[in-house]
Amino acid sequence: MTSTLGTLCALAALFPAITTSIPLIPRYISENEILAAYDYVVIGGGTSGLTVANRLSEDSSKTVLVIESGPIDDGSDSFKIPYLGRGYLNYGTKYDWNVTSVPSESLGNRTMIIPQARVLGGTSSINGMQFARGAPSDYDAWEELGNEGWNFKSLEEYFKKSENFTAPSEKLSEEFGITYDESAHGFAGFIHSSFPRFLWPQIKNWVGAMKSLGHTVSQDPANGGALQLFWSPSSLDPDTETRSFAREYYDGAQDRPNFHVLLDTTVTKLLTFGNETIRIDAVEFLSSAGATKKSVKVKKEAVLAAGTIFSPQILQVSGIGPASLLKSLGIKVVVDLPGVGANLQGHVYLYNAYQLTNVSLSAANLTTNTTFYNEMYELYKTKRDGPFTNTGSNIIAMLPLSDIGLDNFQNLTSAPSEPFPHSDTSISKGYRAQLKVLLRHLATTSMAGVELSWINEVGGTIFSVMHPLSRGTVTTASSSLLTNSTPTVNTRYLTHPLDTRISIETFKYNRKIAATGEMQVLGPVEVSPGPGVSTDEQFEKVIKEGPNYMYHMTGTCSMMKRELGGVVDTELRVYGVQNLRVVDASVQPLIPAAHLQTTVYAVAERAADLIKAGSAWRE
Ligand SMILES: Cc1cc2nc3c(=O)[nH]c(=O)nc-3n(C[C@H](O)[C@H](O)[C@H](O)COP(=O)(O)OP(=O)(O)OC[C@H]3O[C@@H](n4cnc5c(N)ncnc54)[C@H](O)[C@@H]3O)c2cc1C
Ligand SMILES: *[C@@H]1O[C@H](CO)[C@@H](O)[C@H](O)[C@H]1NC(C)=O
Ligand SMILES: *[C@@H]1O[C@H](CO)[C@@H](O)[C@H](O)[C@H]1NC(C)=O
Ligand SMILES: *[C@@H]1O[C@H](CO)[C@@H](O)[C@H](O)[C@H]1NC(C)=O
Ligand SMILES: *[C@@H]1O[C@H](CO)[C@@H](O)[C@H](O)[C@H]1NC(C)=O
Ligand SMILES: *[C@@H]1O[C@H](CO)[C@@H](O)[C@H](O)[C@H]1NC(C)=O
Ligand SMILES: *[C@@H]1O[C@H](CO)[C@@H](O)[C@H](O)[C@H]1NC(C)=O
Ligand SMILES: *[C@@H]1O[C@H](CO)[C@@H](O)[C@H](O)[C@H]1NC(C)=O
Ligand SMILES: *[C@@H]1O[C@H](CO)[C@@H](O)[C@H](O)[C@H]1NC(C)=O
């Protein structure tokens, strides 16, 4: 209530003439109320955008506008309750951009669904809430690619800054053997990280199985231990057992009179100025209700935070991208930047599912017994306890390739030498540089090649190649954007044979896990892909026909040297433009072996510091 009043007063001060027409919940402003110019215009009110906007608006002398294409969430169970809210209920709704990739030849011409939230808070509003950092090698690899100053050590303070960690209860840690290292965590950040109050008992069997196969449990993924087996917290408020997400960066700043948010409004173009030295003069937008494009002036910087799929689309329609693409669409080339929309990487999850026939309480009870479901829902509503607090994956194994029996993976005689068809040498050079760094690390035990995560609903694991060598593309489908324009996404998943090989070996490894004594007491009966699948050829068919979703996309505005096909420099500034940065997941040049949100928050926190330090102006 106080914050609502605070905002009302603030707005009244800014817009004295229209005070009477301001609605009673002025949490965000309407199109008629925006200022003519802002110091910073943030494009996309998602995970990274709200992080940066909050930090920039800490300085009350600077005005900040966020333009978000989606609405504010309605606070319903599908956002809030962990068991219900793991994204799935929001796929294909008005809170999702509903992106489908084009048929990929490497997948037998199948398409993939790419969930991308369209709501204040972005994809953090619908994601799986898994909240662990990658291993040091994942970030050190960025520096080895030529990004000086970007490594695990230098990101630590920003991982901490975004986080508010709550240790698991003594009872829970003792029962499950959860360990943690408080010194590696933050305690004053906006995003809660904690463990759900309820964990399914079968987790113990899986941990036992993994240990019997020689895997050790790391103390904490936050302190560099995101390798082998580890306990991962969730982005979960420990008091209410509800989702903690980027909306909290907005909630924490909504009292500030210098912070404005425009919802249901889509950025359609960055208006550039000059020719030798290009700068962003204004940002053009279109409200979902209105039919006329308008624009707002940028005094200092434009901050692109529309995510891995949409940031390259916005750059391309604004004339910043591969000249050949832009010319083919009749877009005037402002900066020829071949890397915009290139280097797309993502995690595609496969699963090995079992029916557990010798258990007295498992996730299956929720789906087969309505009485039980209702009781557990009631337990959650009244006591914030039970299976509805569970986010699904709190125990993770990040395994090096040698651990799944892939020791000779460097034999890649049939691998393509180019990431995708293109006509620019910087793309070839960049891809080769990435392969060199990745293949060196993947031959060691300090970089994970694959993730296995025990999911009770699966009665087994979901797993994914963590450092895919396949590269996809994002290209705008037309020369201008409207409110529902989505780009052409070609995932090209499995174009590199190592990605397929890793998936085949992991399927086999899952069978080994299921065969351990610790798992056998649960009476597992394989349901997917099923006992009929056993040869490499059969597994390969399952892999090509199986994955339907791509998650955790990065790379389409990569931080890399320009001669390697990079889009932004180490201060996240777009090459060839004076006052434009990209701060979202798209700048991560190599996807880490982690679910992405901790990294997205950390990079965005650091971006805010870079912007505040005033390094905007390129000579
Ligand atoms: C289904 C799913 C599950 C995931 N699960 C996990 C998980 O469990 N743990 C984890 O760590 N990570 C997870 N991730 C990854 C993580 O959530 C994302 O990487 C991260 O949220 C991306 O942040 P972002 O800022 O790059 O983009 P987003 O958070 O997606 O923000 C982009 C915002 O820009 C807006 N936008 C786009 N175009 C325009 C435009 N033209 N004008 C105005 N606004 C625009 C969008 O509407 C959106 O709100 C998951 C991802 C997906 C897709
Ligand atoms: C999402 O896309 C699919 C495939 O293109 C389409 O069938 C479906 O109707 C779309 N859903 C919404 C809500 O627009
Ligand atoms: C995929 O589509 C291409 C182009 O339409 C076609 O040439 C090819 O035969 C198709 N492949 C499969 C496996 O269907
Ligand atoms: C961190 O989270 C705890 C638990 O919800 C809360 O009590 C505390 O106030 C939070 N700290 C900050 C700085 O927000
Ligand atoms: C930039 O402006 C100069 C001087 O007006 C002109 O000669 C040149 O062709 C322009 N360059 C581009 C790329 O438009
Ligand atoms: C869960 O399901 C199993 C198998 O049907 C059953 O034996 C068990 O009693 C159920 N447990 C609860 C708590 O309902
Ligand atoms: C269904 O759940 C109820 C409530 O927990 C329990 O009493 C009942 O035995 C369960 N039925 C089965 C078939 O497991
Ligand atoms: C590498 O692959 C080729 C072609 O499949 C095969 O002939 C060769 O034996 C392999 N070498 C090693 C070291 O596995
Ligand atoms: C079934 O589970 C019980 C309880 O864990 C165990 O004692 C028993 O040995 C299991 N049965 C089989 C056949 O493994």
Side-chain angles (χ1 to χ4, degrees), residues 426-501:
S426 68
I427 299 292
S428 308
K429 279 170 79 178
Y431 185 57
R432 280 198 293 273
Q434 292 180 46
L435 288 184
K436 203 171 150 204
V437 169
L438 284 178
L439 291 173
R440 184 162 44 75
H441 277 290
L442 286 169
T444 71
T445 53
S446 56
M447 182 177 268
V450 67
E451 172 190 10
L452 288 82
S453 177
W454 169 263
I455 303 284
N456 243 84
E457 284 78 4
V458 171
T461 70
I462 59 170
F463 63 92
S464 177
V465 176
M466 283 294 99
H467 289 285
L469 302 185
S470 307
R471 294 291 181 269
T473 55
V474 174
T475 47
T476 181
S478 77
S479 59
S480 67
L481 301 184
L482 292 172
T483 54
N484 276 318
S485 306
T486 55
T488 303
V489 181
N490 191 340
T491 64
R492 296 177 45 84
Y493 194 63
L494 301 179
T495 43
H496 196 288
L498 182 60
D499 300 346
T500 312
R501 184 86 243 151

Side-chain angles (χ1 to χ4, degrees), residues 48-359:
S48 56
L50 291 181
T51 303
V52 171
N54 177 297
R55 297 303 182 191
L56 293 179
S57 61
E58 284 172 345
D59 178 350
S60 61
S61 72
K62 302 286 191 306
T63 50
V64 180
L65 173 70
V66 172
I67 305 179
E68 167 54 45
S69 188
I72 200 155
D73 69 88
D74 62 4
S76 63
D77 286 359
S78 65
F79 288 103
K80 293 290 188 187
I81 302 184
Y83 174 69
L84 299 174
R86 280 173 268 145
Y88 313 107
L89 290 175
N90 287 311
Y91 294 2
T93 69
K94 69 166 179 173
Y95 297 115
D96 181 7
W97 280 91
N98 201 21
V99 177
T100 304
S101 69
V102 294
S104 190
E105 248 180 278
S106 52
L107 295 171
N109 289 341
R110 276 187 325 103
T111 60
M112 275 196 207
I113 295 165
I114 302 181
Q116 283 292 281
R118 188 180 199 172
V119 63
L120 193 67
T123 303
S124 72
S125 321
I126 67 162
N127 72 13
M129 300 172 67
Q130 204 273 347
F131 197 80
R133 303 167 198 173
S137 61
D138 292 318
Y139 308 102
D140 295 348
W142 296 359
E143 185 158 58
E144 289 155 26
L145 251 189
N147 296 304
E148 207 183 315
W150 286 85
N151 52 50
F152 183 68
K153 259 267 77 44
S154 67
L155 278 169
E156 259 177 337
E157 66 171 293
Y158 295 107
F159 281 125
K160 287 183 177 177
K161 189 171 185 183
S162 57
E163 179 187 29
N164 180 359
F165 179 73
T166 300
S169 70
E170 226 166 273
K171 185 171 163 283
L172 198 74
S173 348
E174 256 167 44
E175 184 182 352
F176 288 90
I178 304 175
T179 53
Y180 52 89
D181 172 3
E182 291 206 322
S183 74
H185 289 278
F187 295 88
F190 280 101
I191 305 303
H192 285 285
S193 81
S194 71
F195 287 88
R197 287 184 195 154
F198 175 90
L199 295 170
W200 294 101
Q202 288 80 31
I203 284 186
K204 294 175 201 164
N205 298 74
W206 197 67
V207 170
M210 295 300 278
K211 282 181 174 168
S212 77
L213 291 170
H215 302 291
T216 50
V217 184
S218 305
Q219 187 196 26
D220 190 324
N223 67 8
L227 283 162
Q228 290 295 329
L229 207 55
F230 57 84
W231 289 95
S232 164
S234 302
S235 42
L236 177 70
D237 184 321
D239 304 321
T240 58
E241 296 289 301
T242 56
R243 173 186 298 274
S244 182
F245 62 125
R247 252 288 299 282
E248 282 150 81
Y249 277 95
Y250 162 76
D251 294 342
Q254 58 168 317
D255 279 349
R256 299 176 187 159
N258 58 326
F259 178 44
H260 287 177
V261 175
L262 198 53
L263 293 173
D264 295 307
T265 303
T266 303
V267 168
T268 49
K269 198 175 180 182
L270 308 174
L271 304 177
T272 53
F273 178 79
N275 85 358
E276 301 284 276
T277 47
I278 306 294
R279 73 176 241 107
I280 307 298
D281 189 42
V283 173
E284 182 192 80
F285 58 85
L286 180 60
S287 92
S288 56
T292 334
K293 289 179 175 173
K294 298 187 177 164
S295 67
V296 58
K297 290 265 186 196
V298 176
K299 285 198 266 184
K300 290 189 177 300
E301 288 196 51
V303 179
L304 194 47
T308 298
I309 303 299
F310 294 98
S311 283
Q313 174 177 251
I314 292 167
L315 288 174
Q316 289 166 3
V317 297
S318 308
I320 303 165
S324 52
L325 169 77
L326 305 187
K327 283 179 189 154
S328 74
L329 289 166
I331 301 169
K332 181 175 175 286
V333 179
V334 177
V335 183
D336 177 17
L337 217 42
V340 175
N343 207 27
L344 174 70
Q345 299 153 64
H347 291 153
V348 173
Y349 284 85
L350 294 156
Y351 58 94
N352 181 217
Y354 294 82
Q355 189 193 347
L356 307 177
T357 60
N358 186 34
V359 289

Side-chain angles (χ1 to χ4, degrees), residues 408 410-414:
N408 285 322
Q410 307 259 8
N411 185 10
L412 304 170
T413 43
S414 62

